[in-house]
């Protein structure tokens, strides 16, 4: 019952937030940023408690090490959180924008305008910095949000949630219930049934978890699933550049969804390129698993199994496969990838265009690291997740993915009867 009451309060707050002025929303975001900076020591103390407990879970094999890496906060990360909130405040308000205006007849005008979705439930993994990103994006886009973070980040999330709600209350207390938190799986299960109040679920996690949410609710689901990302090194690649990009895409932060898990290499340059890449990876402590052709060139690497092509490692592990053509690389990606982010390294523009057109992923890249697939780096301020869906929003979901639209028809006593029958008036349908 308490979850239902929370959802009802969120719905009521969403209706008020939908018409809140841009200036007020931005003042609240600035207050959130200031609170994060002012109370960063408190945040780090709570995070230290979470990390200490998580380390023991990793040692017992209960928690995966990549989740521990995502959990850790530093002062720099907290300051980055505040910068991200401020960047959202600096973005244009996505609510109330006119998408189209059509005159149906003289004095009868139809306008399509953006509006908030309503109440969003966001379920995310162990990264506590996701809370500030999600809260700020939902607030700026006029949506109420109920957030459920990972249990391993509970102390961090509690402090962050209290700071965010306190900052909002200092600006407009009537909308504070637009930001809420729940903590248990039972709470999430109860929310799944509340389609009367909830408008969208955004689960971030494994494909199995996203499917579970989809199978147990009538509410729309915007899935942020696994990131099985690839780099294809073409025969026309600049090999030095390709090594640098493949290194960055795997090593810079391996525990995130936009890190690559597989490198595909054209057979014509494999004998030259693979030793170059292996040297860089070896120095970074990356475990390599290769196909038979790869192991002919690099006999020291482990043998890749069929399961490796479909595994999101989130760790310093990478699969290597030699392919005969760009088409074979594209076929591999479309079969084994998750539709997240994939990149091609080549100096041939025609091959690049072919790859970008035929790889069926939310983000495709040419001569750039997959680690750029991020809401902040894409200029969206932040992201609530990276959607692999093909409806409503795809790729890094920022403010533009958190609004929908409605139609506003303004007339002068117009009635439909005048537009039917033998003497029907014609519509002008004139774009304004």
């Amino acid at each position: 019952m308490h979850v239902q009451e929370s959802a009802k309060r969120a719905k009521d707050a969403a209706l008020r937030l939908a018409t809140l002025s841009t200036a007020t929303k931005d003042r609240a975001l600035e207050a959130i940023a200031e609170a994060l900076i002012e109370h960063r020591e408190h945040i780090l103390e709570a995070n230290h408690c979470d990390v200490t407990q998580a380390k023991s879970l990793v040692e017992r094999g209960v928690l995966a090490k990549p989740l521990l890496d995502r959990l850790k906060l530093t002062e720099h990360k907290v300051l980055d959180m505040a910068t991200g909130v401020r960047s959202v405040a600096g973005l244009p308000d996505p609510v109330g924008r006119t998408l189209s205006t059509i005159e149906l007849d003289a004095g009868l005008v139809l306008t399509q305008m953006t509006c908030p979705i309503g109440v969003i439930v966001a379920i995310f993994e162990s990264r506590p910095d996701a809370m500030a990103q999600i809260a700020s994006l939902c607030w700026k886009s006029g949506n109420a949000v109920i957030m459920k973070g990972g249990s391993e980040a509970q102390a961090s999330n509690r402090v962050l949630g209290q700071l965010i709600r306190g900052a909002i209350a200092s600006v407009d207390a009537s909308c504070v219930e637009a930001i809420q938190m729940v903590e248990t799986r039972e709470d999430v299960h109860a929310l799944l049934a509340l389609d009367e109040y909830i408008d969208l679920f955004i689960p971030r996690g494994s494909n199995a978890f996203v499917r579970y949410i989809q199978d147990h609710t009538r509410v729309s689901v915007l899935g942020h699933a696994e990131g099985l990302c690839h780099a294809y090194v073409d025969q026309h690649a600049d090999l030095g550049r390709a090594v640098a990009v493949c290194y960055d895409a795997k090593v810079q932060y391996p525990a995130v969804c936009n890190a690559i898990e597989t490198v595909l290499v054209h057979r014509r340059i494999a004998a030259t390129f693979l030793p170059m890449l292996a040297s860089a990876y070896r120095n970074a402590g990356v475990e390599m698993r290769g196909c038979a052709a790869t192991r002919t060139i690099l006999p020291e690497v482990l043998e890749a199994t069929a399961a490796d092509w479909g595994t999101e490692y989130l760790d310093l592990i990478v699969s290597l496969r030699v392919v005969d053509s760009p088409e074979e690389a594209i076929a591999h990606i479309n079969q084994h990838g998750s539709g997240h982010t994939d990149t091609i390294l080549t100096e041939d523009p025609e091959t690049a265009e072919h790859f970008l057109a035929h790889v069926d992923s939310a983000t495709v890249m040419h001569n750039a690291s997959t680690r750029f697939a991020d809401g902040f780096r894409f200029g969206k301020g932040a992201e609530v997740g990276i959607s692999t869906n093909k409806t409503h929003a795809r790729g890094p979901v920022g403010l533009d993915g958190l609004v929908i639209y409605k139609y506003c028809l303004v007339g002068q006593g117009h009635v439909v009867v005048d537009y039917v029958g033998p003497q029907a008036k014609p519509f002008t349908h004139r774009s304004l």
Side-chain angles (χ1 to χ4, degrees):
M1 184 61 69
H2 78 280
V3 173
Q4 184 172 344
E5 281 300 313
S6 293
K8 185 178 184 302
R9 292 198 303 272
K11 187 75 170 181
D12 292 340
L15 293 173
R16 291 191 291 273
L17 179 57
T19 58
L20 204 63
S21 71
T22 302
T24 302
K25 289 191 289 187
D26 289 346
R27 284 202 308 275
L29 291 173
E30 178 58 32
I32 292 171
E34 290 175 357
L36 294 175
I37 295 170
E38 181 181 350
H39 298 282
R40 58 186 181 275
E41 292 299 330
H42 189 195
I43 296 169
L44 292 173
E45 287 173 7
N47 184 250
H48 178 73
C49 294
D50 286 331
V51 170
T52 300
Q53 293 184 8
K55 284 180 178 177
S56 66
L57 294 177
V58 171
E59 291 170 357
R60 287 157 42 199
V62 178
L63 185 71
K65 186 177 180 299
L67 292 181
L68 174 61
D69 296 335
R70 293 185 182 194
L71 174 61
K72 295 176 183 176
L73 288 178
T74 62
E75 182 173 13
H76 179 70
K77 281 190 176 182
V78 175
L79 295 177
D80 278 350
M81 289 164 57
T83 299
V85 172
R86 283 183 168 138
S87 70
V88 172
L91 293 172
D93 195 331
V95 179
R97 289 188 296 110
T98 298
L99 300 177
S100 67
T101 305
I102 300 174
E103 178 196 80
L104 305 188
D105 196 4
L108 185 62
V109 177
L110 178 68
T111 303
Q112 184 184 21
M113 300 179 64
T114 58
C115 62
I117 292 170
V119 178
I120 295 171
V121 175
I123 310 165
F124 51 95
E125 70 289 356
S126 57
R127 287 175 53 195
D129 51 334
M131 177 168 282
Q133 293 178 3
I134 293 169
S136 61
L137 286 169
C138 288
W139 176 265
K140 182 67 178 265
S141 58
N143 296 290
V145 63
I146 301 173
M147 295 177 284
K148 163 68 170 73
S151 58
E152 63 279 356
Q154 191 171 85
S156 305
N157 289 337
R158 282 178 178 173
V159 171
L160 288 167
Q162 290 165 1
L163 290 174
I164 291 168
R165 283 171 58 90
I168 288 172
S170 71
V171 174
D172 191 324
S174 70
C175 291
V176 71
E177 295 300 330
I179 306 292
Q180 298 191 36
M181 287 75 62
V182 295
E183 293 187 342
T184 69
R185 293 181 180 177
E186 290 75 21
D187 291 340
V188 172
H189 188 76
L191 287 168
L192 292 174
L194 299 180
D195 54 297
E196 179 181 355
Y197 303 112
I198 309 300
D199 297 291
L200 180 68
F201 278 90
I202 303 180
R204 296 168 51 148
S206 68
N207 286 329
F209 174 64
V210 173
R211 281 196 297 270
Y212 176 85
I213 298 296
Q214 291 170 332
D215 292 343
H216 289 80
T217 187
R218 293 190 295 270
V219 179
S220 297
V221 178
L222 187 67
H224 172 113
E226 293 170 335
L228 247 166
C229 304
H230 301 76
Y232 165 55
V233 184
D234 183 54
Q235 62 176 320
H236 302 296
D238 177 317
L239 300 190
R241 174 183 287 176
V243 169
V245 170
C246 290
Y247 183 90
D248 181 86
K250 176 77 265 183
V251 177
Q252 194 269 336
Y253 193 177
V256 287
C257 63
N258 58 12
I260 58 170
E261 310 297 2
T262 299
V263 179
L264 304 170
V265 181
H266 196 289
R267 188 175 301 277
R268 288 186 179 176
I269 51 103
T272 303
F273 176 74
L274 282 172
M276 295 170 61
L277 182 64
S279 176
Y281 276 164
R282 198 178 295 113
N283 290 336
V286 177
E287 177 186 306
M288 291 168 279
R289 303 176 184 181
C291 66
T294 298
R295 297 181 74 238
T296 299
I297 301 167
L298 303 172
E300 73 277 11
V301 307
L302 300 175
E303 181 180 359
T305 67
D308 283 307
W309 310 129
T311 299
E312 183 186 28
Y313 301 116
L314 297 174
D315 205 346
L316 288 174
I317 304 171
V318 70
S319 297
L320 306 172
R321 182 182 176 185
V322 175
V323 296
D324 290 323
S325 65
E327 289 74 22
E328 186 179 352
I330 292 167
H332 178 102
I333 293 169
N334 287 339
Q335 178 182 351
H336 299 286
S338 61
H340 192 295
T341 303
D342 302 286
T343 189
I344 180 173
L345 287 307
T346 186
E347 299 304 305
D348 180 57
E350 289 185 5
T351 302
E353 288 176 13
H354 182 75
F355 180 94
L356 299 179
H358 288 83
V359 169
D360 189 19
S361 295
T363 302
V364 287
M365 300 181 173
H366 176 205
N367 288 343
S369 170
T370 57
R371 290 281 292 115
F372 280 106
D374 171 84
F376 178 76
R377 296 185 182 112
F378 276 15
K380 296 175 178 291
E383 67 186 30
V384 296
I386 296 182
S387 171
T388 52
N389 287 18
K390 292 187 179 180
T391 56
H392 176 60
R394 197 179 187 200
V397 181
L399 293 176
D400 54 345
L402 294 175
V403 290
I404 193 64
Y405 55 81
K406 61 182 176 181
Y407 291 99
C408 303
L409 182 63
V410 178
Q412 298 176 2
H414 289 73
V415 291
V416 168
V417 69
D418 293 336
Y419 298 87
V420 298
Q423 304 300 318
K425 294 176 62 178
F427 289 105
T428 58
H429 287 160
R430 185 168 62 94
S431 179
L432 301 179

